[in-house]
Amino acid sequence: MNQVETFATPAMWAGFVGFVLVVLALDLYVLGGRRAHRVSAREALCWVLAWVALATLFGALLWGFLDATLDRATANRKALEFYTGYLIELSLSVDNMFVFSLIFGYFAVPLELQRRVLLYGVLGAIVMRVSMILAGVWLLAQFSWMFYLFGALLVVTGARMLAHADRQPDIARNPLVRLLRSSMRITPDYHGESFFVRIGGLRHATPMFVVLLMIEASDAVFAVDSIPAIFAVTTDPFLVFTSNIFAIMGLRAMYFLLADMRERFRYLKHGLAAVLIVIGGKMLAAPWFHVPVQWSLGAVGLILLASVGASAILPGRTAANAARSKADASRTGDPP
């Protein structure tokens, strides 16, 4: 198992953090992030392609820097670790994106308000991911057995995800939703982009505030899975951080592009569960068998392609059940 170390200098850390802050500032003050509007499929596609291109370019620049300052073997290994980590984080974020869709649907969030909520969600996610990455790095540095605990956590999480892959979370029974509704005054309607309003001299939260907390809580839960998963690929905190941030920054655009296609990717969650199990198994088997990074990248890619292909080819349970219900209704003469 690799020791917790990094090639990154303080200047590299500062430069990447500065890059993220500049992009967020551009989004907020130049590209319309402060203006409520509906995000078109074309706009979302452009942003998805832009973030994928930026991540690809970052990996290439990383390879060039390491090739020039260290050696070719290190450059190849670190660049491959970054791309593998980015693919893992991005794929796991897709399931998070579908949960966002359920939250927005349950609270009937207007389309023109969703972009702003997700932007605040990204800001909160960055803070949480940084905290979890630092905690994970510290734990691995202090207790080597934590590596295997992370592996066991991924296997258990993947198995539970696989067992409940066909179920949708019940937002109405979510403990956070029930707590907020019982402890806060919440307006029945939205008030633009406001999180709080005063009515009759009393301060009320709007549904927008509840949605934001739900988005943040959802990302915190998914981070518990995604952070240990990337430690199976690399323990370099700079690579863990940068791959996570690129995946998070592209998640918002991907949501507007794919959120309505949950049924079309009905077997993707099965694939993501398999990815977690495979990665966790790799971590647990580390003392006896070393899995090269390129094998991990290939396995993750093949599993995701297989799950997407199965979604496109095989009929889903929902469609099959609907067809049977319609057939039964036609035989009995009742409406479907």
Side-chain angles (χ1 to χ4, degrees):
M1 182 181 64
N2 295 330
Q3 298 298 315
V4 178
E5 57 184 15
T6 182
F7 61 88
T9 64
M12 295 176 68
W13 281 95
F16 186 78
V17 172
F19 161 75
V20 173
L21 294 177
V22 168
V23 172
L24 290 174
L26 287 174
D27 197 341
L28 273 172
Y29 299 105
V30 178
L31 301 176
R34 297 174 63 87
R35 174 175 52 86
H37 74 282
R38 298 189 179 192
V39 178
S40 65
R42 181 178 180 180
E43 179 184 352
L45 178 60
C46 290
W47 274 109
V48 168
L49 294 177
W51 278 111
V52 171
L54 284 172
T56 304
L57 177 60
F58 178 83
L61 293 174
L62 181 68
W63 181 91
F65 170 78
L66 294 176
D67 186 50
T69 57
L70 296 177
D71 55 76
R72 179 66 56 88
T74 301
N76 291 340
R77 178 168 55 85
K78 292 294 185 179
L80 193 59
E81 288 176 358
F82 168 78
Y83 286 128
T84 304
Y86 173 65
L87 178 61
I88 291 173
E89 295 301 314
L90 191 62
S91 60
L92 293 176
S93 295
V94 171
D95 194 40
N96 200 3
M97 176 192 69
F98 289 141
V99 173
F100 290 172
S101 178
L102 292 176
I103 294 173
F104 284 147
Y106 176 79
F107 288 98
V109 182
L111 292 175
E112 61 272 15
L113 300 181
Q114 294 180 6
R115 184 173 187 264
R116 191 70 181 278
V117 174
L118 286 176
L119 179 59
Y120 283 111
V122 166
L123 294 174
I126 291 175
V127 175
M128 283 189 291
R129 295 296 174 98
V130 171
S131 302
M132 290 186 179
I133 289 170
L134 293 176
V137 169
W138 182 84
L139 287 172
L140 288 175
Q142 299 297 319
F143 312 102
S144 59
W145 51 266
M146 286 298 300
F147 186 82
Y148 308 107
L149 181 61
F150 286 166
L153 174 64
L154 292 178
V155 172
V156 172
T157 302
R160 292 183 61 186
M161 183 185 294
L162 194 61
H164 301 286
D166 295 323
R167 301 181 187 177
Q168 291 189 356
D170 189 350
I171 305 298
R173 299 174 64 87
N174 184 278
L176 178 59
V177 173
R178 298 170 69 177
L179 174 63
L180 292 174
R181 284 177 170 170
S182 63
S183 61
M184 298 182 67
R185 292 183 291 267
I186 303 174
T187 63
D189 301 316
Y190 290 90
H191 293 260
E193 297 181 339
S194 300
F195 293 117
F196 297 95
V197 293
R198 286 195 173 275
I199 301 177
L202 297 177
R203 193 183 192 191
H204 289 67
T206 69
M208 184 77 97
F209 179 71
V210 180
V211 170
L212 177 62
L213 291 185
M214 287 293 295
I215 293 294
E216 298 291 5
S218 172
D219 190 79
V221 171
F222 278 89
V224 173
D225 301 333
S226 62
I227 297 300
I230 196 173
F231 280 129
V233 177
T234 178
T235 55
D236 187 317
F238 186 71
L239 296 180
V240 175
F241 177 68
T242 52
S243 58
N244 262 272
I245 296 303
F246 273 114
I248 291 173
M249 297 294 282
L251 173 61
R252 191 161 53 107
M254 191 178 296
Y255 165 80
F256 290 109
L257 186 64
L258 301 177
D260 295 332
M261 300 184 183
R262 180 181 179 88
E263 286 303 316
R264 297 185 185 181
F265 295 98
R266 53 187 170 271
Y267 294 113
L268 182 59
K269 192 159 190 173
H270 299 76
L272 296 177
V275 167
L276 290 178
I277 293 173
V278 168
I279 293 175
K282 173 193 172 183
M283 298 176 78
L284 294 175
W288 304 279
F289 183 71
H290 172 68
V291 180
V293 179
Q294 55 268 30
W295 288 19
S296 301
L297 178 60
V300 171
L302 286 175
I303 292 173
L304 294 177
L305 287 175
S307 61
V308 172
S311 300
I313 297 173
L314 300 178
R317 292 186 178 181
T318 302
N321 292 340
R324 285 196 296 269
S325 299
K326 187 174 181 179
D328 294 341
S330 64
R331 286 195 298 269
T332 59
D334 297 328

